[in-house]
Amino acid sequence: AMARATTQWTCVLTPLIVLGLMFGTVRAAGINPDQPIRVDGMEFFYGIVPAEILRGHPREHEEQTMHSGVPGGRGVRHLTISLFDAKTRARITDAAVTGSVTEVGRATQNQKLEAMVWGGTVTYGNFFAMPDQGPYEIVVNVRRPSDGKTATARFQHWQPTR
């Protein structure tokens, strides 16, 4: 009787555990993940803005000159990353940040994410060609001079349809 009860519980719990693991895996590798993304004691917040919006700003606006100017072309997006210490919530302003964007079947684009001052705060960013809906795999590497280690956040982004 005890063996049958154990078998019944195994039959009930095994599918629940498998579903829980599947949900956890999908969540960790999810498309357009919840923010912040937490990695190695840091919190990553990201934003993606169509370059067309930035091209519409006046010539004297700071966005017109960042990263050597707003590139032309269809489907160019500006990826921005804000970084914070997860414990203290202090903004991280001294990091070396790189990013890559890959769409399935296309070459990976690698860029330095340059420090930018917006409203007195530092964020990191650069432009990437993202002309299709996606999904795009985005990888952000952050190296802080204080510890010399590189932390990597990896997530997928799907462009909203118009």
Side-chain angles (χ1 to χ4, degrees):
M2 182 64 125
R4 191 167 10 142
T6 302
T7 302
Q8 287 175 336
W9 274 110
T10 302
C11 289
V12 171
L13 289 178
T14 299
L16 292 175
I17 291 169
V18 168
L19 284 173
L21 290 172
M22 286 173 52
F23 177 75
T25 302
V26 169
R27 186 77 182 144
I31 294 177
N32 300 351
D34 289 339
Q35 296 189 52
I37 300 166
R38 291 180 177 87
V39 177
D40 292 343
M42 288 183 274
E43 293 183 334
F44 292 62
F45 291 87
Y46 78 95
I48 297 174
V49 178
E52 292 87 353
I53 292 173
L54 304 178
R55 286 185 209 123
H57 289 170
R59 283 184 164 245
E60 62 278 359
H61 197 278
E62 61 192 1
E63 292 170 342
Q64 292 293 350
T65 57
M66 65 184 170
H67 320 306
S68 302
V70 180
R74 178 184 150 296
V76 176
R77 304 284 189 262
H78 188 235
L79 171 65
T80 59
I81 302 290
S82 297
L83 299 169
F84 295 86
D85 183 288
K87 211 177 269 187
T88 66
R89 302 288 194 255
R91 187 176 287 268
I92 296 171
T93 61
D94 62 349
V97 184
T98 60
S100 68
V101 173
T102 307
E103 183 179 17
V104 174
R106 296 192 184 220
T108 298
Q109 304 169 68
N110 295 295
Q111 297 272 11
K112 175 183 178 186
L113 300 185
E114 299 170 349
M116 309 172 293
V117 178
W118 292 56
T121 62
V122 174
T123 59
Y124 302 87
N126 214 325
F127 293 101
F128 293 88
M130 299 171 72
D132 300 317
Q133 190 175 14
Y136 292 91
E137 180 181 57
I138 299 174
V139 178
V140 179
N141 296 300
V142 177
R143 185 174 179 92
R144 297 187 67 188
S146 58
D147 64 14
K149 294 187 302 185
T150 299
T152 300
R154 181 183 306 265
F155 57 95
Q156 290 189 336
H157 174 74
W158 192 278
Q159 307 277 28
T161 57
R162 292 182 179 177

